[in-house]
Amino acid sequence: MDKVMSNKKMIALYVLPSLLLILAVVYIPIVLTGYYGLNEWNGIGSMKFVGLDNYQRLLKDSVFWDSAKHSLLLAVFSLISLIVYLAIAMVLAAKLRGANLFRKIYLIPMLLSSVAIAQLWLKIYHPTSGIMNTLLESLGVDNPPAWLAEPSLVLFALFIPILWQYAGFYILIYYAALKNIPTSLEEAAKIDGATSIQIAYKIKLPLVMEVLKVTVVLAVVGSLKYFDLIYVMTNGGPNGASEVMASYMYRTAFKSYDFGYGSAIGFALLIICLVATWVIRKLTETKDTIQYS
Amino acid sequence: MSVGQMDAGAMSPKAAFAQKIGYAILYIVLIAVAVLQLFPLVWLLLFSLKNNQEVFNLPPFAIPTHPRWENYQKVWEAGNIDVYFLNSVWITVVSTLLTVVLASLVTYAITRMKWKLSSLVLGLFMVAMMIPVHSTLIPLFSMFNDVNLTDKPASLILTYVAFNMPITIMILLGFYYALPKEVEEAAVIDGCSVNRMFFRIVFPMTSSVIATTAIINMIYNWNEFIFVNTFISSDKFKTLTVGVQNFIGQYTTDWGAIGATLMISILPILITFLFLSDRIVEGIAAGSVKG
């Protein structure tokens, strides 16, 4: 058995194509992003090495820091909404009839393309014929705002469809984790006279902690690198009011043809995401994980 | 007797009433969330069947008396939607097949074969999941330029396979670890080669998890936008996401046409979900929790 299963040629044949592909498409570009950031380059002509100029420019670039602030704000909103999703998942997991159907309905927006969702929400926010303002007008609101054209509102108007799209995803994850808790624990607590709120807070929450940590990383990093809906719906506008890091990178490279500076932004985005992951893991580190199986 | 029944038996009528109210509130919350998730899509379906006059003058959720199916016919015939649609189909299928087969080979080598670098290689695949795709975009664009792959479907297939490989391996790993090894051990004793064992025994045994990963891959590939938007410029190679985006640009004022275009782009996913929702739910849950 061992001899057949440690045949070097076979192992290479099975692993190398995928390994080379992922090195070429994921890892080499990451290194190159950092390197391009050290150059002045319009994407076609020759590169000119400028050392840390682009990175110094980045540190002083208020547009970049504003976009970072917007990305961070999205991360904060995503974190707050996780609490709501967890609460909904707890309700779903409380042996209600139809729970399975509900969680499937909730998931539908996540399966659709961001472009379709973005185009749909552009229509929802349409100042005169969109469903948002038609509803507000029928509720008696005079002059409802032109959501995506208001610099003070646009960011929050964009957060709604983003959270809408991912709600079902997080509810599904929490639901799966809650369903993993053996019912015997809950029953024992009930016999001891625990209320459902005590059960939720003292028993269920600690047991889904590991999953919670994973979703916190997913939500924060996903928000920091968020791009799709914002790019299609406002492209960072009006006047930069909804610019996020990834959209700023994209605009700098593929619209202004400043590939060097765009790469520096892309590299900063990578570092920020990795640091955020590391910090969250450190902050939520626990000495012993609770076993319940 | 279960605990629940014991509780109910011991409850006063007042407490039982309170419990019923409690359940009613829970259901109202759940239904409200479901309505929030579905109403935008219902509204989309309705305005895809209306003309502008009906969109502007009727209440938003009024059902059109004469559903205008011709909106769908119009957009299907007018632009390149049929070309985009076919591109989406074949690029999605080819990328998914490649990902699933390559990821299965890697997972097999990692879980069954003995080699020193196995955990390092697994680590490389897993860490790749944390890399934001946007940070790779500029170098990928210039690398594909250098090898004449920009504006070719191959650039999409290569990136889709590479970026979906880690999550596919992750879902497969759990299944491979749980798979009993007795059959394979017996096969080796009978002198079966590694290839034969993989393709004739292991690959067929994993068909259910392969179906799950394939569906997840298809959804991701079907919806992918940023790579198509960056790498592809010819209309004949664009997929539905970018095609829809450009197409709608020409129709900014024709709501029915926009609605119909969007419906055409999301229908394949909705139909798949209708028939395979359990597998999709399972795949998404499996692909996230372990991350």
Side-chain angles (χ1 to χ4, degrees), chain B residues 61-100:
Chain B
F61 284 101
I63 292 164
T65 39
H66 296 287
R68 295 178 193 277
W69 296 106
E70 62 264 30
N71 287 341
Y72 286 76
Q73 201 187 347
K74 183 171 76 185
V75 297
W76 185 264
E77 283 167 0
N80 287 321
I81 292 291
D82 49 349
V83 177
Y84 305 147
F85 194 94
L86 283 178
N87 285 339
S88 274
V89 170
W90 82 260
I91 291 174
T92 295
V93 168
V94 171
S95 313
T96 302
L97 283 178
L98 274 174
T99 313
V100 168

Side-chain angles (χ1 to χ4, degrees), chain B residues 118-290:
Chain B
S118 130
S119 57
L120 175 76
V121 168
L122 178 61
L124 273 177
F125 280 109
M126 294 299 110
V127 170
M129 251 185 296
M130 291 162 40
I131 309 285
V133 290
H134 304 94
S135 300
T136 63
L137 213 51
I138 296 171
L140 277 178
F141 178 73
S142 83
M143 284 160 70
F144 284 136
N145 247 342
D146 290 342
V147 292
N148 267 327
L149 278 181
T150 34
D151 206 18
K152 304 257 164 52
S155 61
L156 297 179
I157 294 171
L158 287 174
T159 38
Y160 291 179
V161 174
F163 278 101
N164 287 334
M165 181 85 67
I167 192 150
T168 309
I169 292 177
M170 200 174 76
I171 300 175
L172 289 175
L173 268 180
F175 196 89
Y176 270 77
Y177 279 129
L179 207 64
K181 290 182 189 168
E182 282 81 5
V183 186
E184 295 161 61
E185 278 162 8
V188 170
I189 292 166
D190 289 347
C192 185
S193 75
V194 177
N195 274 331
R196 209 180 146 77
M197 183 147 61
F198 176 76
F199 286 105
R200 289 293 178 80
I201 301 174
V202 177
F203 201 61
M205 277 202 295
T206 57
S207 57
S208 76
V209 71
I210 283 185
T212 306
T213 53
I215 292 166
I216 298 298
N217 265 288
M218 281 187 190
I219 293 174
Y220 289 158
N221 294 338
W222 184 269
N223 291 336
E224 204 285 321
F225 169 68
I226 179 94
F227 288 128
V228 193
N229 197 43
T230 313
F231 300 152
I232 305 293
S233 47
S234 319
D235 264 335
K236 61 177 182 215
F237 292 136
K238 275 177 188 159
T239 62
L240 211 43
T241 48
V242 169
V244 161
Q245 171 74 359
N246 299 350
F247 190 65
I248 285 177
Q250 310 160 14
Y251 277 94
T252 38
T253 50
D254 187 345
W255 284 55
I258 292 173
T261 313
L262 293 179
M263 282 305 295
I264 290 173
S265 80
I266 67 174
L267 261 180
I269 299 282
L270 289 180
I271 292 170
T272 314
F273 189 63
L274 202 62
F275 289 104
L276 296 167
S277 57
D278 284 323
R279 277 214 189 282
I280 294 173
V281 165
E282 182 196 334
I284 289 175
S288 58
V289 176
K290 291 165 195 159

Side-chain angles (χ1 to χ4, degrees), chain A residues 10 19 64 75 79 95 106 117 143 168 191 193 201 215 221 234 284:
Chain A
M10 291 312 294
L19 188 62
F64 174 75
L79 279 180
K95 290 179 203 150
Y106 297 167
I117 286 179
N143 298 320
I191 291 171
Y201 195 68
T215 55
V221 175
T234 63
T284 58

Side-chain angles (χ1 to χ4, degrees), chain A residues 31-152:
Chain A
V31 178
L32 284 179
T33 302
Y35 171 70
Y36 290 170
L38 301 171
N39 291 273
E40 202 182 287
W41 185 35
N42 63 9
I44 312 158
S46 57
M47 289 189 207
K48 189 180 146 216
F49 189 79
V50 291
L52 290 172
D53 280 9
N54 282 327
Y55 293 98
Q56 269 164 355
R57 178 176 155 200
L58 188 76
L59 290 176
K60 290 186 219 135
D61 182 354
S62 64
V63 180
F64 174 75
W65 289 110
D66 280 344
S67 71
K69 242 182 268 167
H70 299 155
S71 297
L72 195 66
L73 198 61
L74 175 60
V76 171
F77 271 78
S78 304
L79 279 180
I80 295 169
S81 57
L82 285 186
I83 301 167
V84 179
Y85 303 151
L86 181 62
I88 296 173
M90 280 192 173
V91 172
L92 270 183
K95 290 179 203 150
L96 286 180
R97 236 176 282 160
N100 197 31
L101 179 68
F102 278 120
R103 72 179 174 145
K104 283 178 186 170
I105 290 175
Y106 297 167
L107 195 64
I108 291 174
M110 195 233 162
L111 305 173
L112 307 179
S113 81
S114 296
V115 171
I117 286 179
Q119 291 294 348
L120 172 59
W121 280 83
L122 276 176
K123 289 296 170 218
I124 289 176
Y125 282 129
H126 190 277
T128 52
S129 317
I131 193 172
M132 184 68 93
N133 283 356
T134 347
L135 268 176
L136 286 176
E137 273 164 7
S138 70
L139 293 172
V141 179
D142 295 329
N143 298 320
W147 299 94
L148 300 174
E150 292 279 347
S152 58

Side-chain angles (χ1 to χ4, degrees), chain B residues 14-51:
Chain B
K14 215 174 167 184
F17 181 70
Q19 197 185 30
K20 263 191 191 150
I21 296 281
Y23 270 109
I25 292 172
L26 292 186
Y27 269 110
I28 289 169
V29 171
L30 292 180
I31 291 169
V33 177
V35 166
L36 277 178
Q37 294 300 90
L38 282 185
F39 259 39
L41 299 173
V42 174
W43 183 58
L44 168 65
L45 173 67
L46 289 176
F47 82 69
S48 77
L49 295 171
K50 293 176 182 174
N51 64 18

Side-chain angles (χ1 to χ4, degrees), chain A residues 153-232:
Chain A
L153 286 177
V154 61
L155 211 50
F156 302 99
L158 286 169
F159 289 172
I160 293 173
I162 297 172
L163 299 180
W164 175 80
Q165 187 179 14
Y166 285 101
F169 173 69
Y170 290 107
I171 293 173
L172 169 68
I173 298 176
Y174 291 146
Y175 178 83
L178 287 164
K179 278 286 163 191
N180 266 337
I181 299 175
T183 45
S184 57
L185 282 181
E186 200 181 331
E187 282 166 7
K190 260 190 197 160
I191 291 171
D192 290 344
T195 65
S196 12
I197 292 180
Q198 278 175 326
I199 291 174
Y201 195 68
K202 293 269 172 71
I203 296 178
K204 290 183 180 170
L205 200 58
L207 288 176
V208 296
M209 222 20 147
E210 285 308 306
V211 174
L212 262 181
K213 289 177 193 171
V214 173
T215 55
V216 166
V217 173
L218 279 178
V220 170
V221 175
S223 303
L224 291 177
K225 66 181 185 193
Y226 196 80
F227 176 80
D228 292 13
L229 287 193
I230 293 178
Y231 174 75
V232 178

